[in-house]
Amino acid sequence: MLQLAAANLLSPPVLFFVLGFAGSLAGSKLTLPEAVAKTLSLYLMLSIGFKGGVAVAGHGLTGEMFAAIGAGVVLSALLPVAAFALLGLMSPLSRVDRAAVAAHYGSISIVTFVAASETLRSLGVDFDGYMVAIAAIMETPAILVALYLAGSNRPRQEGESLFGEVLLNSSVVVLTGAFVIGAITGEKGMAEISPFIVDPFKGILCLFLLDMGAVAARGIANGSRFLNPGLIVFGAVMPALSASAALAIAWLTGMPAGNAAILMTLAASASYIAVPAAMRLALPEANPAIYLTLSLGITFPINLVIGIPAYLALARWILP
Amino acid sequence: MLQLAAANLLSPPVLFFVLGFAGSLAGSKLTLPEAVAKTLSLYLMLSIGFKGGVAVAGHGLTGEMFAAIGAGVVLSALLPVAAFALLGLMSPLSRVDRAAVAAHYGSISIVTFVAASETLRSLGVDFDGYMVAIAAIMETPAILVALYLAGSNRPRQEGESLFGEVLLNSSVVVLTGAFVIGAITGEKGMAEISPFIVDPFKGILCLFLLDMGAVAARGIANGSRFLNPGLIVFGAVMPALSASAALAIAWLTGMPAGNAAILMTLAASASYIAVPAAMRLALPEANPAIYLTLSLGITFPINLVIGIPAYLALARWILP
Amino acid sequence: MLQLAAANLLSPPVLFFVLGFAGSLAGSKLTLPEAVAKTLSLYLMLSIGFKGGVAVAGHGLTGEMFAAIGAGVVLSALLPVAAFALLGLMSPLSRVDRAAVAAHYGSISIVTFVAASETLRSLGVDFDGYMVAIAAIMETPAILVALYLAGSNRPRQEGESLFGEVLLNSSVVVLTGAFVIGAITGEKGMAEISPFIVDPFKGILCLFLLDMGAVAARGIANGSRFLNPGLIVFGAVMPALSASAALAIAWLTGMPAGNAAILMTLAASASYIAVPAAMRLALPEANPAIYLTLSLGITFPINLVIGIPAYLALARWILP
Amino acid sequence: MKTHPKKEIRIICELPLAGRMRAHLDRAPISGYTLLPVIGGKGSEGAWSREGLVGDAGQMVIFLIILDEAELQAVLADLYAVITNQIGIITIADVEVVRPDRF
Amino acid sequence: MKTHPKKEIRIICELPLAGRMRAHLDRAPISGYTLLPVIGGKGSEGAWSREGLVGDAGQMVIFLIILDEAELQAVLADLYAVITNQIGIITIADVEVVRPDRF
Amino acid sequence: MKTHPKKEIRIICELPLAGRMRAHLDRAPISGYTLLPVIGGKGSEGAWSREGLVGDAGQMVIFLIILDEAELQAVLADLYAVITNQIGIITIADVEVVRPDRF
Ligand SMILES: Nc1ncnc2c1ncn2[C@@H]1O[C@H](COP(=O)(O)O)[C@@H](O)[C@H]1O
Ligand SMILES: Nc1ncnc2c1ncn2[C@@H]1O[C@H](COP(=O)(O)O)[C@@H](O)[C@H]1O
Ligand SMILES: Nc1ncnc2c1ncn2[C@@H]1O[C@H](COP(=O)(O)O)[C@@H](O)[C@H]1O
Ligand code: NA
Ligand code: NA
Ligand code: NA
């Protein structure tokens, strides 16, 4: 496990994240232009969606897959409740702020998923292509749960349009669409575009993580005054709790270790694209500095640097 | 032919176009940032220009090539006249609007050319590298013909500066310049930069077509109220007519089927970069919503999805 | 040597630079969007930094390396003084303007370094990975020397914050950071990300040089009225002088020809990113049109087109 | 050239809110609006910058609306309602236009 | 700090027209101008957005010109002629500047 | 809806100067500021454009500051000192706001 952690820590993606983070704290401007950051993010989703679809292409719909989907849905419905309760214990936040944070932790972070799958790949640990679909599925439900937790009594119509807006968030659509295209075109399609979506993938991930590191550090610098010790502990403890819940479900449903490590990573990760935008619309009274700083500044680095190897080690240890 | 159409329809580039189109109609924002879209477009031109130049490098200037160039020039001079006449029959547009639309259909769309050449390549159908030069040559003449058709009696000087502006449009310059550089550096140059301009090409095309699909759908959503049934039929019929004219010329000049399929695609395609900008300067009274919607929203998708395989099937069927 | 110059002149990167330059002078807009130009520049630094680090990884810190670093530091301290003196002879510039120009010529241009290393690579001439570190080290000292030459008597504190700003300039940080990451991850890291940072490198350089050519031509068009014949001669002569000084030091320290050619290129090149921004802060009275036009419009093209092959030929001729 | 007085509303608002704002503007008695980019800023919740961001949250845009003084109060009240709970700033200024009938 | 009244012309015009506009501004009795980006908008011809576009058509930019009231009419008339057939909007506003001799 | 008069300072300044400007604004008696992009322009030193540039030199940004008239002179003097040697333009205009206490 320690060896795993060291290997992860010394991999190029994590080191570029650290470079962005440390350089930014020191005062250097290491962010990418917004247009490029958005495009790289889109590229990552297109690529993992497509790869997942191709992997699924041969296999058709299996019982295992539906079990895993079920596990994802259950997690993204329950984790916000757990987060909401835990926040109530740990920090004097308003109900609305707690609900907004809970939505982030119930949803998932695609780049954390990407980092985990690269780690697994480079260690030769297999996982199923449909795990990407589960990532897509887990993006949204937590938002609805959180609105309920916030006791939101907004007019129905706005709520519905919000659900549409979230489901149609470009990250969800590209991920799902590329998955379907990958499933349709299969290995033949993969052969045609793999020099773009597979070969440079890890390098592009490095560039993107340089930016993410810089953004995370900037977020901490600007947002830390909205955090308190309780919140910071929450940002570190909640991923462990979520990953444990995912591990339990993985055990119950008999998942292989690779899939389980991915599910744990998804559970442990917190959204930084779709959910923050949705919260600004649905719960505008919630302070964005709190949830953005927690999700991007605390939980993302923890998952990237020590979470992923830990989840994998646990999954391999507990599961057959 | 049906098989060809199905293969085309299920290729990654077309599917990503469909994803962009459908997702955008459903309300998702799938466009790329402008800075990135412009760069991808430049990349495509640089790449196909260079590849065409390298292909030509060994062969020198042949009679066939000049015949093909002649065919291209003739088409781009006559197609606007045909389009102008056809529009007169089909739709109650003003003279100036008709001329502006005619300019678009006499010129060409580079991304349609790119899509066609990828289709041919993946089917193993050969075509000559100099067809890229013909694409470049066909970009501009239609503008002049259309100005004449519009009965434009603007002061000479502005017309000349306009011609300069169009000839110096970055898309024309990069295409031509990269062609010349490819011809100069030949296979040696190609070996050095093919990991950038060849290997990821099809994948980058997918990303670009995702954007084009989204832009096309947005164009239809915003511009459809400026169209009438006659115009929509025009947008579908004109490509067929242009492709037929190109097929006839290809037959007359004894072109091989691959070249003919490309020439037909060029004829059938309508400009969406250089000509719209030129029309805003030269014929400002013409309504841009009409020509942009027709070119990008109707004709481009038709060519991409069913036109290209149809032109190829026809060319193979009619020509030796 | 003539053969070398011809090979360089007919390589894709130089030809794309010429395309950008000539096309821009003719009136075409061939620049890349700023967001993309900045990202490509970052990519080039990340890539060469990483490659340099990997090359160093196996070798540890050697005496040769420290000698080369010493050579770089000495050059970047002395060259500004030489430039300042030479300008005094050749042109009636104000003291502050001379100092600002001197800072640029004492510092280095990364893209010139990149072009030189590509030339060496394609000719099979070896050079050490640590030369990248020397590039990073040579970026900053000239600024301090130039402030001294300008007789700047600004309050201490601003000077210090300036030094921080320059050392933390993202180009310096990414270059150095990627170097360290390359040194840490070594060949293993390289294997993972080389499809992104090595394979497409030369092609991306072509795209970037197209942009640089366009920017250089635009700079000349806008800035030429601030230049006089003496300054233009300076822009052509100073690189030769700097390269000669570097050659002498290389000879004194017993550098191999490849390293020497790189050191000469660094010495001959003039900054266009970090130093101009620093000069706007530190010496605002200096006219930016002068130093930007000289550095980007005169010296960069000269180095790229004839300097690099000349430095290499000289280094091979003089050194063992 | 005779010029005519109009009012200009400028709204700096969060990007995630832009869709709602557009919906309200579509129903307002105005001839159109223009959207401008913002690259950063500082307010009660600290400094922010568009650089490096992937999502819409934490970014802002500007809506510029030129309209007749007669419509100002109604439009203002409607738009104000949209951003009242959100991060955002509304300013109103006097401008002159050449073709008054276009607004 | 004493401030001095000037006029500010703001022209929102189509991007393909920018070259012509620049040519006219180069001949105008002004000290300079500033170009601002626009990301979208809505007018009589519907909504538009810069996102995803490759060509110049369908995009707009803003020219900002600060000038002396004495020159306003002449400059305005000249620039108005450029965009009269095109899509675009001109507004004039009052501003104060610190160094009046610079404009 | 009642509106209240405020002042708006707009500073077009060089990008390398933005850090210093921010530092001064952080100490100023204002509620915040907004940064806008500029894509090009022309001044006494010729035309420039952001396109294609890699470094910060040769680029500009706009700082927009809404503030109370009472603070105008002090803030103006402080900011003017920052750009006095540099390339840049300051203008002041009148605006109305809805929530006067926020500025
Ligand atoms: N006094 C001001 N002048 C200009 N822009 C401001 C000012 N105060 C706030 N802003 C802008 O409005 C945003 C939200 O401010 P706030 O509502 O104070 O959180 C900030 O991020 C700034 O972009
Ligand atoms: N009332 C308005 N306020 C601000 N911008 C407008 C207004 N009307 C039109 N525009 C802008 O001017 C462009 C052209 O409008 P139009 O001339 O009506 O087609 C639109 O796309 C908007 O960007
Ligand atoms: N009259 C003007 N109106 C608007 N912007 C101007 C004007 N004069 C100068 N500028 C802007 O201020 C920058 C610097 O001008 P200058 O200080 O004259 O070199 C220019 O590049 C323009 O962007
Ligand atoms: Na989660
Ligand atoms: Na055509
Ligand atoms: Na140098």
Side-chain angles (χ1 to χ4, degrees):
Chain A
M1 147 99 213
L2 268 182
Q3 210 180 334
L4 216 65
N8 183 57
L9 203 63
L10 297 181
S11 70
V14 172
L15 288 174
F16 276 104
F17 179 83
V18 171
L19 174 59
F21 196 92
S24 183
L25 283 187
S28 187
K29 204 197 76 45
L30 296 174
T31 44
L32 296 174
E34 176 211 353
V36 174
K38 283 195 164 157
T39 305
L40 295 190
S41 166
L42 198 90
Y43 165 85
L44 294 179
M45 311 226 208
L46 192 155
S47 173
I48 55 157
F50 192 86
K51 280 185 270 185
V54 171
V56 159
H59 300 60
L61 308 176
T62 62
E64 271 174 22
M65 183 174 150
F66 286 108
I69 290 178
V73 173
V74 168
L75 280 171
S76 66
L78 295 186
L79 293 181
V81 180
F84 187 77
L86 190 60
L87 280 168
L89 298 175
M90 296 182 74
S91 163
L93 286 189
S94 75
R95 183 186 187 89
V96 167
D97 275 328
R98 278 190 288 148
V101 172
H104 288 73
Y105 282 83
S107 178
I108 58 109
S109 143
I110 281 294
V111 71
T112 313
F113 171 88
V114 164
S117 51
E118 286 304 303
T119 302
L120 267 63
R121 226 167 287 235
S122 69
L123 292 170
V125 179
D126 275 349
F127 62 93
D128 282 299
Y130 57 68
M131 293 308 291
V132 174
I134 293 166
I137 289 168
M138 287 177 76
E139 283 215 55
T140 324
I143 296 173
L144 299 182
V145 178
L147 291 192
Y148 177 80
L149 292 171
S152 174
N153 48 6
R154 281 159 202 289
R156 192 71 190 266
Q157 216 195 327
E158 294 230 342
E160 272 164 12
S161 95
L162 173 80
F163 195 59
E165 276 174 41
V166 173
L167 273 182
L168 290 169
N169 186 296
S170 62
S171 65
V172 181
V173 173
V174 168
L175 193 64
T176 315
F179 183 84
V180 172
I181 296 178
I184 294 176
T185 61
E187 286 299 338
K188 190 166 168 301
M190 180 54 108
E192 293 179 21
I193 66 174
S194 74
F196 176 58
I197 66 166
V198 176
D199 299 351
F201 187 80
K202 197 160 202 164
I204 292 180
L205 178 62
C206 289
L207 189 58
F208 187 66
L209 286 177
L210 177 74
D211 177 73
M212 292 283 288
V215 172
R218 193 176 69 192
I220 288 190
N222 290 336
S224 59
R225 65 199 163 97
F226 297 101
L227 299 188
N228 53 48
L231 278 174
I232 295 171
V233 172
F234 170 84
V237 165
M238 185 66 209
L241 201 130
S242 302
S244 309
L247 181 59
I249 293 193
W251 184 78
L252 284 174
T253 58
M255 256 184 210
N259 288 7
I262 294 285
L263 189 71
M264 291 168 76
T265 304
L266 288 172
S269 72
S271 174
Y272 66 95
I273 302 182
V275 178
M279 287 303 111
R280 288 313 299 150
L281 288 173
L283 301 176
E285 313 82 2
N287 182 350
I290 295 175
Y291 48 73
L292 280 172
T293 309
L294 271 180
S295 158
L296 212 58
I298 311 278
T299 297
F300 176 65
I302 288 180
N303 276 325
L304 185 70
V305 174
I306 60 167
I308 292 173
Y311 308 148
L312 175 60
L314 271 175
R316 276 170 151 185
W317 187 47
I318 305 265
L319 301 175
Chain B
M1 149 96 214
L2 266 183
Q3 209 179 336
L4 216 63
N8 183 57
L9 203 64
L10 297 182
S11 71
V14 173
L15 288 174
F16 276 104
F17 179 82
V18 171
L19 174 60
F21 197 92
S24 184
L25 283 187
S28 187
K29 205 198 75 46
L30 296 174
T31 44
L32 296 174
E34 176 211 356
V36 175
K38 283 196 164 157
T39 305
L40 294 191
S41 168
L42 197 91
Y43 165 84
L44 294 178
M45 312 226 209
L46 191 154
S47 172
I48 56 157
F50 191 86
K51 280 186 270 184
V54 170
V56 161
H59 301 59
L61 309 176
T62 61
E64 269 175 23
M65 183 173 150
F66 285 108
I69 289 177
V73 172
V74 168
L75 280 172
S76 66
L78 294 187
L79 293 181
V81 181
F84 187 77
L86 190 61
L87 279 168
L89 298 175
M90 297 182 73
S91 163
L93 285 191
S94 76
R95 184 185 185 90
V96 167
D97 276 328
R98 278 190 289 148
V101 172
H104 288 73
Y105 283 83
S107 179
I108 58 108
S109 144
I110 281 293
V111 71
T112 313
F113 170 90
V114 164
S117 52
E118 286 303 303
T119 303
L120 268 63
R121 224 167 287 234
S122 66
L123 293 170
V125 180
D126 274 350
F127 62 94
D128 282 300
Y130 57 68
M131 294 308 292
V132 173
I134 292 166
I137 288 168
M138 288 177 75
E139 283 216 56
T140 324
I143 296 174
L144 299 182
V145 178
L147 291 191
Y148 177 81
L149 292 172
S152 174
N153 48 6
R154 280 157 205 290
R156 193 70 191 266
Q157 215 195 326
E158 292 230 344
E160 273 164 10
S161 96
L162 173 80
F163 195 59
E165 276 174 41
V166 173
L167 273 183
L168 289 169
N169 185 295
S170 61
S171 64
V172 182
V173 172
V174 168
L175 193 63
T176 316
F179 183 85
V180 172
I181 295 178
I184 294 176
T185 62
E187 286 299 338
K188 189 165 169 301
M190 180 54 108
E192 292 178 21
I193 65 174
S194 74
F196 177 58
I197 66 164
V198 176
D199 299 351
F201 186 81
K202 197 159 202 165
I204 292 179
L205 178 62
C206 289
L207 189 58
F208 187 66
L209 285 177
L210 177 73
D211 178 73
M212 291 284 288
V215 172
R218 193 176 68 193
I220 287 190
N222 291 335
S224 59
R225 66 201 162 97
F226 297 101
L227 300 188
N228 53 48
L231 278 174
I232 295 172
V233 173
F234 170 84
V237 166
M238 186 66 208
L241 203 130
S242 304
S244 309
L247 181 59
I249 293 193
W251 184 78
L252 284 173
T253 56
M255 253 182 213
N259 288 6
I262 294 285
L263 189 70
M264 291 168 75
T265 304
L266 288 173
S269 73
S271 174
Y272 66 94
I273 302 183
V275 179
M279 289 301 112
R280 289 312 300 151
L281 287 173
L283 301 176
E285 313 83 1
N287 182 350
I290 295 175
Y291 48 72
L292 280 173
T293 309
L294 272 179
S295 159
L296 211 58
I298 310 278
T299 297
F300 177 65
I302 287 179
N303 276 325
L304 184 71
V305 174
I306 60 168
I308 292 172
Y311 308 147
L312 174 60
L314 271 174
R316 277 171 152 184
W317 186 46
I318 305 266
L319 301 175
Chain C
M1 147 98 214
L2 268 183
Q3 209 180 335
L4 216 62
N8 183 56
L9 203 63
L10 297 182
S11 71
V14 173
L15 288 173
F16 276 104
F17 179 82
V18 171
L19 174 60
F21 197 91
S24 183
L25 283 187
S28 188
K29 204 199 75 46
L30 296 174
T31 44
L32 296 174
E34 176 212 353
V36 174
K38 283 196 164 159
T39 305
L40 294 190
S41 167
L42 197 91
Y43 166 84
L44 294 179
M45 311 226 210
L46 191 155
S47 173
I48 56 157
F50 191 86
K51 281 186 269 185
V54 171
V56 160
H59 300 60
L61 309 176
T62 62
E64 270 176 21
M65 182 174 150
F66 286 107
I69 289 177
V73 172
V74 168
L75 280 171
S76 66
L78 295 187
L79 293 181
V81 180
F84 187 76
L86 190 61
L87 279 168
L89 298 175
M90 297 182 73
S91 163
L93 285 190
S94 76
R95 184 185 186 88
V96 167
D97 276 327
R98 280 190 287 147
V101 171
H104 288 73
Y105 282 83
S107 179
I108 58 112
S109 142
I110 280 293
V111 71
T112 313
F113 170 89
V114 164
S117 51
E118 286 303 303
T119 303
L120 268 63
R121 225 167 287 234
S122 67
L123 293 170
V125 180
D126 275 349
F127 62 92
D128 282 300
Y130 57 68
M131 293 309 291
V132 174
I134 292 165
I137 288 167
M138 287 177 75
E139 283 216 55
T140 324
I143 295 173
L144 298 182
V145 178
L147 291 192
Y148 177 80
L149 293 172
S152 174
N153 49 7
R154 280 160 202 290
R156 192 71 191 267
Q157 216 196 326
E158 293 230 343
E160 273 165 10
S161 97
L162 174 79
F163 195 60
E165 276 174 41
V166 173
L167 273 182
L168 289 170
N169 185 296
S170 62
S171 64
V172 182
V173 173
V174 168
L175 193 64
T176 315
F179 183 85
V180 172
I181 295 178
I184 294 177
T185 63
E187 288 298 338
K188 188 164 170 301
M190 181 53 109
E192 293 179 20
I193 66 173
S194 74
F196 176 58
I197 66 165
V198 177
D199 299 350
F201 186 79
K202 197 159 202 164
I204 292 179
L205 178 62
C206 289
L207 189 59
F208 187 66
L209 286 176
L210 176 75
D211 178 73
M212 292 284 289
V215 172
R218 193 176 70 192
I220 287 189
N222 291 336
S224 60
R225 65 200 162 97
F226 297 101
L227 300 188
N228 54 47
L231 277 174
I232 294 171
V233 172
F234 170 85
V237 165
M238 185 66 209
L241 202 130
S242 303
S244 309
L247 181 59
I249 293 193
W251 185 78
L252 284 174
T253 56
M255 255 184 211
N259 288 5
I262 294 285
L263 189 71
M264 291 169 76
T265 304
L266 288 173
S269 73
S271 174
Y272 66 95
I273 302 183
V275 179
M279 288 302 111
R280 289 311 300 150
L281 287 173
L283 300 177
E285 313 83 2
N287 182 349
I290 295 175
Y291 48 73
L292 280 173
T293 310
L294 272 179
S295 158
L296 212 58
I298 311 279
T299 298
F300 177 64
I302 288 180
N303 276 324
L304 185 69
V305 175
I306 61 168
I308 292 172
Y311 308 147
L312 175 59
L314 271 174
R316 276 170 152 186
W317 187 47
I318 305 265
L319 301 175
Chain D
M1 210 156 225
K2 197 168 153 24
T3 59
H4 309 265
K6 294 278 170 186
K7 288 289 180 179
E8 176 180 302
I9 303 179
R10 191 184 62 204
I11 304 177
I12 309 182
C13 82
E14 295 182 76
L15 186 51
L17 212 64
R20 253 181 227 174
M21 191 65 89
R22 278 174 182 270
H24 278 252
L25 287 168
D26 285 348
R27 292 191 296 263
I30 56 173
S31 74
Y33 56 85
T34 299
L35 258 171
L36 310 181
V38 181
I39 51 179
K42 190 171 174 180
S44 55
E45 311 204 346
W48 65 276
S49 161
R50 198 174 77 174
E51 279 280 308
L53 291 190
V54 168
D56 284 356
Q59 301 199 46
M60 307 197 97
V61 285
I62 294 180
F63 282 91
L64 213 65
I65 305 130
I66 297 156
L67 77 178
D68 210 280
E69 173 137 33
E71 318 282 3
L72 181 64
Q73 282 301 327
V75 172
L76 199 57
D78 183 42
L79 299 179
Y80 185 73
V82 180
I83 68 155
T84 185
N85 286 314
Q86 314 273 154
I87 301 171
I89 286 180
I90 301 192
T91 56
I92 300 104
D94 291 311
V95 295
E96 300 271 321
V97 303
V98 178
R99 291 177 285 188
D101 48 300
R102 292 201 47 198
F103 298 94
Chain E
M1 211 158 224
K2 197 168 154 25
T3 59
H4 309 264
K6 295 278 171 186
K7 289 287 181 181
E8 175 180 301
I9 304 179
R10 191 184 61 204
I11 305 177
I12 308 181
C13 82
E14 295 183 76
L15 186 51
L17 212 64
R20 254 180 226 174
M21 190 64 87
R22 277 173 182 272
H24 278 253
L25 288 168
D26 285 349
R27 291 191 296 264
I30 56 174
S31 73
Y33 56 86
T34 299
L35 258 170
L36 310 182
V38 181
I39 50 179
K42 190 172 174 178
S44 56
E45 311 202 346
W48 65 274
S49 162
R50 198 173 79 173
E51 279 279 308
L53 292 189
V54 168
D56 283 356
Q59 302 198 44
M60 308 197 95
V61 284
I62 294 180
F63 283 92
L64 211 66
I65 305 129
I66 297 157
L67 78 178
D68 210 281
E69 173 137 33
E71 319 283 3
L72 179 66
Q73 282 302 327
V75 172
L76 199 57
D78 182 43
L79 298 179
Y80 185 73
V82 180
I83 68 154
T84 185
N85 286 314
Q86 314 274 153
I87 301 171
I89 285 179
I90 302 192
T91 55
I92 301 104
D94 291 311
V95 294
E96 300 272 320
V97 302
V98 177
R99 289 177 286 188
D101 47 299
R102 294 202 45 197
F103 298 93
Chain F
M1 211 158 225
K2 196 167 157 24
T3 58
H4 309 265
K6 293 279 168 185
K7 289 287 180 180
E8 175 179 303
I9 304 180
R10 190 183 61 205
I11 305 177
I12 308 182
C13 82
E14 295 182 76
L15 186 50
L17 212 65
R20 253 180 227 176
M21 192 63 89
R22 278 172 181 272
H24 277 253
L25 288 168
D26 284 348
R27 291 190 297 263
I30 56 174
S31 74
Y33 56 85
T34 300
L35 259 171
L36 310 182
V38 181
I39 51 179
K42 190 172 174 177
S44 55
E45 313 203 346
W48 64 276
S49 161
R50 198 174 76 173
E51 278 280 308
L53 291 188
V54 168
D56 283 355
Q59 302 197 45
M60 307 197 95
V61 284
I62 294 181
F63 283 90
L64 212 66
I65 306 130
I66 298 157
L67 77 178
D68 210 281
E69 173 138 33
E71 319 283 2
L72 180 64
Q73 282 302 327
V75 172
L76 199 56
D78 182 43
L79 298 179
Y80 185 74
V82 181
I83 69 155
T84 186
N85 286 314
Q86 314 274 153
I87 302 172
I89 286 180
I90 301 192
T91 55
I92 301 104
D94 291 312
V95 295
E96 300 271 321
V97 302
V98 177
R99 289 177 284 187
D101 48 299
R102 293 202 46 196
F103 298 94

